[in-house]
Amino acid sequence: QVQLVESGGDLVQPGGSLRLSCAASGFILDYYAIGWFRQAPGKEREGVSCLLTANGATYYADSVKGRFTISRDSATNTVYLEMSSLKPEDTGVYYCAVDILALNPTPIRPSTYDYWGQGTQVTVSS
């Protein structure tokens, strides 16, 4: 059974940094896409970043390019989202998810993802 468990969410001041983790288990596939999404109150869930395990390619939403970095530790099957220069508009619940087909990694659309974690809250506020 596929399980995705996020952690690392917190309250942080504007300009600060945070690292989110997503521990993945239960996979039998070698190649898939793993993505990070976020959802602010009253807004739709949006794609933030994704990584293709087949070749390590990474993709980012324009709003986070240059500030966020996605990476993966294949030994532990953990995916990280390093976030820096955080802004109040980065506030939301952050989810990791897996797309088992990984055919169209961009744009990063929630509808193409098959498995989801429970989310972790990130709040950027002074």
Side-chain angles (χ1 to χ4, degrees):
Q1 184 176 351
V2 174
Q3 272 197 314
L4 301 169
V5 180
E6 304 96 333
S7 61
D10 205 346
L11 169 64
V12 62
Q13 291 188 341
S17 300
L18 208 56
R19 187 178 80 162
L20 305 182
S21 301
C22 172
S25 62
F27 285 95
I28 58 172
L29 298 173
D30 290 328
Y31 303 121
Y32 50 90
I34 188 158
W36 283 99
F37 296 80
R38 66 186 179 190
Q39 189 165 20
K43 293 190 176 182
E44 292 188 354
R45 193 170 297 188
E46 63 170 343
V48 173
S49 180
C50 77
L51 180 150
L52 302 185
T53 61
N55 57 12
T58 58
Y59 302 87
Y60 298 92
D62 287 342
S63 58
V64 306
K65 277 181 184 174
R67 300 189 298 122
F68 290 13
T69 302
I70 189 171
S71 62
R72 175 177 177 249
D73 182 341
S74 57
T76 61
N77 216 13
T78 301
V79 175
Y80 301 99
L81 186 68
E82 297 272 2
M83 306 185 294
S84 62
S85 301
L86 283 162
K87 305 174 182 179
E89 50 263 44
D90 294 317
T91 294
V93 179
Y94 281 69
Y95 301 89
C96 69
V98 166
D99 171 8
I100 61 175
L101 295 179
L103 295 177
N104 298 295
T106 185
I108 309 166
R109 292 186 298 252
S111 60
T112 64
Y113 283 72
D114 306 287
Y115 300 99
W116 292 83
Q118 83 290 346
T120 186
Q121 177 70 46
V122 172
T123 303
V124 184
S125 175
S126 55

